[in-house]
Amino acid sequence: MKNAFPDSFVWGTASSSFQSEGGLTLGDRGPSIWDFVEERLPRGDLLINGPDFLNHLDEDIALLKKLGVRAFRMSLSWTRILPDGVGRVSSFGVSLYKMIFEKLLAANIEPWVTVFHWDYPLALENEGGWSNPNSPKWFASYCSVVGASFSPLIKHYIVMNEPQSFVELGYFTGEKAPFKKLDRASVLLMAHNVMVGAALGEKALRSSSASKIYVGIAETYSSPYPENEDDVDDNKAASLATEDFSGNLFCLPWWADPSYLGTYPKNWVEGFAIPFPYDGKECHGDYDFFGLNLYNGYPVKSSQNGFALGNKEGIARNSLGWSITPKAISFAAEYCAKRYKKPVYITENGLTLDDVNDHGIILDKARFSFIDDYLSELNKAILKGADVRGYFYWSFLDNLEWELGYKPRFGLVYTDYAHGAKRIAKESFAHYAKIIATNGASIDKE
Ligand code: BGC
């Protein structure tokens, strides 16, 4: 199959502040809602400094350079910049990030900055967090500080990471911090505040930055894909399944439609059957690109009722039990590019394995084929005309997989926690480096 990756394709890798920085007590950083996760972690996993990124900056940037990435996606810790969430700005925090950005830029790597990747200020959570009607403004004022502080160093901002996850899993199912279980009506209002916050944040970033910037959201969902990709009806069925009301906010339409199109999906509003006063206009941001964190999906086929679940037999799973479904990435990328009419960047995709350090060698063959299979499907979407402009492998380093602790390892680089967070490039590191060096030509595309 033809190699379709354009020369300008942004090859990258990704990380987030709370999962990789360490240094929770450094400077005047304020506490976040994740600081208290320790009691929930699997036994034996202490909330240590994790990969301790802040103490390995030069080494890590040298590794990123060796990998050959054009871009490194990293997030800011809100409470390093505004220890109380609003008000007082920490010059220590601002200088810290400036220093990191300057080092990355000096290595010819563009920092793509996620403004908010879940580590919400505890001070604001205690005021009701995203349920508080002032929460969108709090977020926008944080974004103003960010834009003003990091302009002109930063060109690409992901204003928010996966609202689907931090809202639905943090406040409805209670799996993630702050581990709350609110009722559906309260969660819908909170989700609305989150999207209004993102839209105000987008404007604040733009008006406070002195230079031209590009802003998007990193959305996520588990994407349906056609059981038979050449069958027109199965393709239609996959679109129908994407739009279908599921009652679960770990989905695409409830978030991406208001944020990118300015309307709540009617069938979902009806489906929830909860009085809902908003039409979605306030959620509409002037976004430049569509960020998609895509890990997996499920096959569907056409049926008399529109769509039915396809055959899931034989689908492999990662070490967390998530299915491995490369075909989901081509369908989702194409679907999102068409529906939201923005260039798509895959802002996250990756595989967790129980990697074993065998005398300094981490032979992660399954990760090779994961990357090849997903990228070869992405290549297909580009060949079909989808405007896909970049791919960020999650993650650069093995890091804290939130409440699941340190056992799940997604990294291209192994973190040896028992030995000062020593870095060991896994075999997949060289594999991905080759893909980048050949602009995708080395991928096994059948
Ligand atoms: C999140 C990351 C997380 C990864 C793997 C995404 O949902 O943005 O923070 O580590 O998936 O679970």
Side-chain angles (χ1 to χ4, degrees), residues 162-276:
E162 298 189 359
Q164 291 80 355
S165 305
F166 74 83
V167 172
E168 185 73 350
L169 310 180
Y171 297 89
F172 190 72
T173 66
E175 287 158 66
K176 300 217 179 277
F179 308 105
K180 290 184 181 161
K181 292 185 182 175
L182 307 183
D183 60 50
R184 181 47 88 206
S186 310
V187 175
L188 292 184
L189 292 178
M190 174 182 281
H192 183 73
N193 288 342
V194 165
M195 286 186 272
V196 174
L200 293 180
E202 172 270 309
K203 281 177 195 58
L205 283 169
R206 242 184 256 286
S207 59
S208 59
S209 298
S211 46
K212 165 103 180 122
I213 57 165
Y214 301 86
V215 187
I217 302 181
E219 308 276 1
T220 195
Y221 67 114
S222 176
S223 175
Y225 61 89
E227 183 169 84
N228 176 354
E229 63 193 299
D230 300 322
D231 183 304
V232 179
D233 292 332
D234 279 6
N235 274 277
K236 279 191 195 143
S239 297
L240 284 176
T242 306
E243 288 148 25
D244 191 45
F245 172 71
S246 70
N248 177 341
L249 288 194
F250 191 88
C251 69
L252 184 71
W254 189 259
W255 301 93
D257 279 20
S259 296
Y260 281 85
L261 305 176
T263 48
Y264 276 105
K266 209 164 156 246
N267 60 325
W268 280 71
V269 176
E270 286 166 6
F272 278 124
I274 293 170
F276 191 68

Side-chain angles (χ1 to χ4, degrees), residues 349-367:
N349 169 249
L351 176 69
T352 173
L353 294 171
D354 290 334
D355 290 309
V356 179
N357 177 0
D358 183 8
H359 301 91
I361 294 182
I362 292 107
L363 190 55
D364 53 342
K365 279 239 156 71
R367 193 167 282 113

Side-chain angles (χ1 to χ4, degrees), residues 16 19 73 117-118 161-162 165 176 220 250 293 295 320 322 348 394 399-402 410:
S16 90
Q19 293 178 274
R73 178 180 168 217
H117 197 130
W118 307 358
N161 182 67
E162 298 189 359
S165 305
K176 300 217 179 277
T220 195
F250 191 88
N293 292 358
Y295 288 86
L320 287 174
W322 305 357
E348 279 183 38
W394 179 273
N399 57 30
L400 177 78
E401 183 51 21
W402 304 108
F410 279 89

Side-chain angles (χ1 to χ4, degrees), residues 329-350:
I329 206 170
S330 41
F331 184 80
E334 222 192 322
Y335 178 89
C336 292
K338 258 195 212 146
R339 180 163 178 84
Y340 300 109
K341 300 187 176 54
K342 299 283 174 201
V344 168
Y345 290 87
I346 303 299
T347 34
E348 279 183 38
N349 169 249

